[in-house]
Every structure is written in C-alpha cells, then in structure tokens.
Amino acid sequence: MRKLKALFFICTASILNAQVISGTIISKNENQPIPYVKIGVEKKTTGTISDGKGNFSIDLSQSDPQQKIKIEVPGYDSYVETIENFKKHDQQKIFLNEKTKNIKEVTIKAKKLVDKNWGVNTKTKSVTYFVNPATGRKDFLGETALEFNTKKRSKIRNINLNIARYNSTEPVLMRYSIYSEKNGLPDKNILDEEITIALTEDMIKDGTFTLDVNDRNIWVQGKFFVGIQFLKEFDGNIKISAALFRTGFIREFYGDWMKMSIAAPAINIDVKVDKNSKDSKDDYGGYADDDISEGWLADNSKNIEEANQSIYGKNESAGKYVKLKDTDLYYEVYGEGEPFVLLHGNSGSIKDYYQQIPVLSKQYKIIAIDTRGQGKSKDTSKRDFTYKLFADDVKALADELKLDKINIVGWSDGGCTGLEFALKYPERLNKLVTIGANTFPEGVEDKLIERFTNQMKQLNDMAPEETFRERRLLKIMLTQPNISKDDLNKIKNPVLVIAGDRDVIKPDHTKFISKQIPNAEMKIYKDTTHMVPYEKPDQLNADILSFLGKK
C-alpha cells in the first residue's frame, strides 16, 4: 500500500450579498490550482465548474441554507457541507483526501480475452444531441450517459464517440466518467482518476473520436454507464450522433439522472471480454435497453455496423434521384428482371436491406428507395408525413422508370406504405410482402405506444426547428395508418404477411391482417423481434423468393 497525496482548496471567498461565493481550488502538495472541479448543490441543478486556474464563483441566492454543497473530482473523496456553513467560511482550508489505492500482488494467469464492441454505432447527422453553450449554461453543463451490461468481466480499451458536427476554433474540454448502477440509474463514478481531454477537430477520424483508455486498466462487470460532460464554454457547437428511440440518460449538474427514451448518444466501447471469468447474475451483455428486457429488441449493433459499412445506400454507380413535388427521392437499382421495390422502416434507409439486396438482385430488378425525408431523400415540405403520401411517391417513381407493375417488400413503415399502395394502385401491384406492418396504431404493443407518446412530449418541449424531422417521423407512427377491416377485404393482390414472434406488432394484429386479406399467407418467425431482415436474413430471402416465384 502507498499513501497518496491529499488535496485541499482555499476558498478566498468574496461574498456578494452573502449569496455569491467565490474561491480557488489548489493542490496542497503541488501548491498548484486544480482546474475543472465540480462545485454544486447536492441533488440539485445549481452548480459550476472551476476554470483552468482553479477559480470558481457560485450563486446560492435561490438555495435552501440546509441544502448541501458538494465538491468532487475523480480519484478524491467528495467534500460535502451545508450551504449555511459554507457561506460562513472565509479563507477556509478544506482537505480532500485522495482515495487510497491498495496495490495487490497480481498473479498472471492465462486469460482468454475476446474483442467486442458494444453500444450505439450510428453516425447519423439528422438525429443528434446538440451541444451549444450559447443556448443556456445550465443545459450546457449537463451530462449524458449510456448504459451497458456485461455478464463477463471485461476491460474497456477504447471509448468511441460519434460526432456529426464539430464547430469550434478552440479545443473543447470534455470529461469522461464510468458509473456503477443503482435502481436502473448511474450511481457512483468508479474511476480512480479523471479522464479529461481537449477535443480538436483533427482528433475526429471518419466521424468518430476514439479515446484510448487501455492503460487505465478499467474493468467492468454487470451494469455500468459511460458518461460525458463538457467542462468549459466555447464559441461554437457540437452535434453528437444519436440513435432514435433508444434510451439515454441525462442530468443537470448534481440533479437526478433521468431517462431520455427519445434517443441515445452514439457512445460505443471496444472491450476485451474475459471468457474464463464467472458470469454476473445479469442475463445479457452489451448495450442495455428497456426494449431488450421487454423482448422486443435484440442487440443488433453488429448488424447496424455492417449495414453502415456496406455499399448500399451510398452507391454512386447504382444511385439516382427523381425530382417529385417537395422531394428529391433517392433510389438505387440492382440486377435485372421483374421489378421489385424495397421499402425500409421508420428512420431507416436502403442500407437496412444490406443482407437482402445481394441475394434478391440475382433474380429480380431491385429498386431500393429511401423514403422521403429519410436516408438520402430530401423533403422541403412542412406538412405531416402519411403512408398514402409515401405510396404516391412509389407510384411516381414507377411512372418515371416506366414500370407497369411492381412487386413490393415493405418492412415496418414500409409495409404500411405497401398496404396503402395496394389499396390505391392495385392495378400497378403484382405481389406484396409486409414485414412487421400494422394497419392502425393500436396494433402496436401498448407499452411502445406509451413510450412514443412520452417521446413526443419530450420533443415538443425542445426547439421546434431542431426536432421537426423527428416529430414528423414519430407522429406518423402515433396516428397512422388507419386501414379498416373493409379496406383489407378489398385487397385482391397476393400478400405475404411476416412478423417475428417477439415483434412489437401484437400477434393478434398480425393474424388479423392476414385473415382479412383474401389472398394472404402468414409466416411467424420463431425467436425473432421486429428486426426480421437483420436477424433472419436467410429465411426471409428464401420466403420472399418462394412467394414471388409462385404462379
């Protein structure tokens, strides 16, 4: 065991109306200022961070004297004192003892360490956490985090942050934290020392800033959180990519942590997993999300990364635009033969079919479309999205390509569009395959609708310009489609209705669709969520080809 240095600060407090307390934080042993230390009211959003010279000033005019001031820096014991006593101090010396580290003799054993990547990998530029000091200091000093969960003891090698936009002429100071879990929320910072970096634009490679923490020897097991916080105001702004409809966590200074089910920050980690270690009591690994525990989602981060790395959705040799009213519709064409349109789900793009296009294009002419306002398709209108509007876009593209009849495969929202196309343009449709589609909002699991409703409330509280696209995409799922039983009875085209047995679409609703369409077949995939094209690509490809090949 070795004793480590203690830390104290001298509050050379000048008290303005006995409410504004100022001071300087200094290292006792080194007699040097300590920069960027958090000083705030415990369990409240009032707080500040010392500057690069250790100076701080905090306004306590709105605080209860019996509330407590909390001062902390990673690696040291926290200092806590009532505001009433804190205000009385002048020229006070407060010692913060560095946490004692016990260095144990380590017996090196052969370990089977396996490389993994967990977390949110999206590099989208349309769904983001917007960090802008100019919009409000309280929000700027907030912290965001992502939850992880691992059965096996694992070592964090890199922490990756996907940044959609960096706009600053000076380095941007950020602090990383690793928290334990309590009651489903971040709890205590488990780091022995702070991880603070000065981020510059040249440190961001291909939209990602990678922080190497391998030498810091950070081992985790069970549930934990990776958090980031900006420490110093800067002239500019940053946009962090985010995954829509995933769960992130936020707090304002020392306030309570809150779930943000609207989106999760694009934080992912490279880890070494010790396969020889004993399992924790938790029963799943990687990125944690409420929907996983509900059974609605599996960990599809590997599929998402593979889709992002594929050529699909960004293939210049196969891609074109068709100009329609209020939109430039992007599409890609592969293969030859009978025309076959692929329609993705809400907030998706062509790349989501990266496991289908190579197989299906061997026998059909595949026309993969980015729905308006999504992927690379642009939309200049301000009206609400509708599935009938999307169906009109499909028909307009078929007209442009001089296609008399098409087949359609639609996943999720794409399936809803396919049903609307079948109702409005039956003479232009040959066969339709729907994957996880619904005919009215109540066909979706109640808890997910409740979650969407809460997300809409959160979006409505945010800046309208920043959330316009997200609100349109969420509203269409909350209010549409509105296809009745009689409407389904009118569809005479052959339809294959597909869903997973753990789909977010209620099982009875999928059966209802299949039963009401006269020429419909139904297939339910075992041990499969809403993400059928990701999770069961071979089975899906075979079923599509078999269905389309039937006379």
Side-chain angles (χ1 to χ4, degrees):
M1 179 186 295
R2 61 187 178 90
K3 280 205 167 184
L4 301 175
K5 52 191 176 182
L7 174 83
F8 77 95
F9 71 49
I10 303 171
C11 289
T12 57
S14 61
I15 305 178
L16 178 61
N17 294 328
Q19 300 297 323
V20 177
I21 309 297
S22 300
T24 304
I25 301 176
I26 299 173
S27 167
K28 178 181 179 182
N29 285 18
E30 298 176 359
N31 196 31
Q32 295 293 322
I34 304 296
Y36 312 121
V37 176
K38 290 178 66 174
I39 304 117
V41 180
E42 191 173 38
K43 297 183 179 180
K44 299 293 180 181
T45 60
T46 301
T48 189
I49 294 175
S50 64
D51 64 16
K53 296 182 179 180
N55 300 315
F56 73 91
S57 182
I58 183 170
D59 184 356
L60 300 174
S61 59
Q62 302 299 317
S63 300
D64 185 328
Q66 296 309 308
Q67 291 175 332
K68 295 181 179 180
I69 282 287
K70 184 175 183 179
I71 303 167
E72 67 177 8
V73 61
Y76 295 85
D77 293 329
S78 297
Y79 164 70
V80 179
E81 185 172 24
T82 64
I83 291 175
E84 183 177 40
N85 290 334
F86 187 72
K87 289 180 181 178
K88 295 176 182 177
H89 297 318
D90 186 20
Q91 302 293 327
Q92 177 177 315
K93 296 179 181 180
I94 298 176
F95 292 86
L96 294 182
N97 294 318
E98 189 174 359
K99 293 178 180 178
T100 304
K101 298 178 182 178
N102 293 320
I103 300 179
K104 300 178 181 179
E105 182 178 350
V106 178
T107 303
I108 305 297
K109 295 181 179 180
K111 288 185 171 66
K112 184 179 180 182
L113 298 178
V114 180
D115 289 320
K116 294 285 185 180
N117 176 270
W118 297 329
V120 176
N121 291 281
T122 180
K123 291 187 177 181
T124 178
K125 295 184 179 181
S126 57
V127 182
T128 62
Y129 276 77
F130 191 44
V131 181
N132 184 3
T135 61
R137 192 165 181 271
K138 178 185 286 188
D139 293 337
F140 167 68
L141 290 178
E143 187 173 7
T144 184
L146 187 69
E147 183 182 354
F148 295 83
N149 192 5
T150 174
K151 293 170 62 177
K152 299 285 188 178
R153 189 167 179 263
S154 304
K155 181 182 180 182
I156 301 177
R157 294 171 44 243
N158 298 308
I159 303 175
N160 306 303
L161 182 67
N162 293 347
I163 298 175
R165 178 183 178 185
Y166 180 98
N167 178 24
S168 178
T169 57
E170 59 182 315
V172 175
L173 286 171
M174 299 168 50
R175 176 170 290 159
Y176 287 76
S177 300
I178 311 292
Y179 293 102
S180 60
E181 179 268 346
K182 184 177 181 180
N183 298 326
L185 298 170
D187 188 28
K188 296 179 180 178
N189 194 339
I190 66 173
L191 294 177
D192 291 329
E193 56 184 345
E194 66 173 347
I195 302 178
T196 299
I197 59 99
L199 180 66
T200 57
E201 189 169 15
D202 62 350
M203 297 164 66
I204 303 169
K205 308 296 183 184
D206 190 27
T208 299
F209 168 63
T210 296
L211 178 67
D212 185 346
V213 295
N214 192 55
D215 292 341
R216 294 179 181 265
N217 208 33
I218 304 170
W219 288 86
V220 290
Q221 188 170 13
K223 292 182 180 180
F224 64 96
F225 298 79
V226 177
I228 56 171
Q229 181 177 29
F230 293 85
L231 301 176
K232 180 183 176 182
E233 294 182 37
F234 59 95
D235 185 14
N237 53 71
I238 289 177
K239 287 187 175 182
I240 299 170
S241 296
L244 196 63
F245 311 141
R246 294 289 189 272
T247 301
F249 295 79
I250 62 169
R251 70 167 173 175
E252 294 180 12
F253 221 78
Y254 284 131
D256 293 334
W257 283 97
M258 297 180 295
K259 285 186 177 183
M260 278 288 288
S261 58
I262 182 174
I267 300 171
N268 62 89
I269 56 177
D270 299 316
V271 298
K272 289 278 190 182
V273 180
D274 181 3
K275 286 295 187 180
N276 292 331
S277 69
K278 293 182 179 179
D279 289 356
S280 69
K281 63 181 180 180
D282 300 303
D283 59 1
Y284 61 91
Y287 166 48
D289 189 283
D290 287 345
D291 288 345
I292 293 177
S293 61
E294 293 284 355
W296 294 336
L297 288 179
D299 181 5
N300 285 295
S301 57
K302 180 174 180 286
N303 297 105
I304 293 169
E305 181 63 19
E306 289 176 350
N308 289 335
Q309 291 177 355
S310 74
I311 191 64
Y312 304 110
K314 54 188 175 186
N315 188 349
E316 293 183 1
S317 63
K320 292 182 180 179
Y321 282 95
V322 58
K323 192 168 187 62
L324 307 177
K325 184 179 180 181
D326 300 325
T327 186
D328 291 337
L329 199 69
Y330 180 77
Y331 66 99
E332 293 180 357
V333 178
Y334 298 91
E336 298 291 340
E338 188 178 338
F340 180 168
V341 172
L342 289 176
L343 302 175
H344 60 75
N346 193 293
S347 303
S349 76
I350 291 167
K351 68 177 181 291
D352 294 337
Y353 283 112
Y354 77 101
Q355 296 181 96
Q356 282 69 52
I357 295 173
V359 176
L360 302 178
S361 61
K362 292 178 180 178
Q363 299 186 40
Y364 292 89
K365 182 177 185 177
I366 301 300
I367 303 156
I369 303 174
D370 274 345
T371 304
R372 70 161 62 207
Q374 300 167 65
K376 293 179 69 173
S377 290
K378 302 161 189 175
D379 181 87
T380 58
S381 72
K382 298 299 180 182
R383 55 181 168 167
D384 289 341
F385 285 150
T386 70
Y387 296 117
K388 291 180 180 178
L389 173 63
F390 295 163
D392 290 341
D393 289 343
V394 175
K395 191 259 186 184
L397 179 57
D399 290 344
E400 176 73 15
L401 299 178
K402 296 180 171 53
L403 303 174
D404 292 331
K405 277 198 172 187
I406 57 174
N407 298 291
I408 294 178
V409 171
W411 175 15
S412 194
D413 273 29
C416 301
T417 299
L419 290 169
E420 293 286 11
F421 189 94
L423 286 167
K424 195 169 185 179
Y425 306 109
E427 73 285 353
R428 302 295 296 275
L429 177 67
N430 183 23
K431 294 183 179 182
L432 169 65
V433 179
T434 67
I435 306 164
N438 59 299
T439 57
F440 40 82
E442 293 77 14
V444 179
E445 288 287 352
D446 295 340
K447 287 185 178 180
L448 192 58
I449 291 295
E450 180 182 352
R451 181 172 178 177
F452 286 166
T453 302
N454 291 333
Q455 288 165 353
M456 182 62 84
K457 291 178 182 177
Q458 293 170 4
L459 282 173
N460 289 336
D461 290 338
M462 299 168 70
E465 296 80 9
E466 289 292 326
T467 61
F468 175 70
R469 175 183 179 275
E470 288 78 14
R471 282 186 287 113
R472 282 206 295 187
L473 290 173
L474 189 54
K475 185 176 181 179
I476 194 174
M477 292 190 292
L478 284 169
T479 61
Q480 295 186 36
N482 294 292
I483 300 172
S484 67
K485 174 181 176 180
D486 290 341
D487 291 332
L488 292 176
N489 294 160
K490 295 174 185 176
I491 298 176
K492 305 304 180 184
N493 307 86
V495 179
L496 174 60
V497 179
I498 294 175
D501 62 352
R502 291 161 47 204
D503 211 302
V504 296
I505 306 301
K506 294 175 181 177
D508 288 346
H509 188 68
T510 299
K511 293 176 183 177
F512 165 78
I513 296 172
S514 176
K515 182 178 180 181
Q516 298 306 321
I517 298 175
N519 296 314
E521 302 177 25
M522 184 179 72
K523 284 185 176 290
I524 303 299
Y525 288 13
K526 187 177 179 181
D527 298 326
T528 308
T529 71
H530 192 61
M531 311 300 280
V532 173
Y534 279 178
E535 296 171 18
K536 296 293 175 67
D538 294 340
Q539 184 178 350
L540 178 62
N541 292 341
D543 286 340
I544 290 172
L545 291 173
S546 175
F547 177 70
L548 294 183
K550 290 181 179 179
K551 299 298 184 182

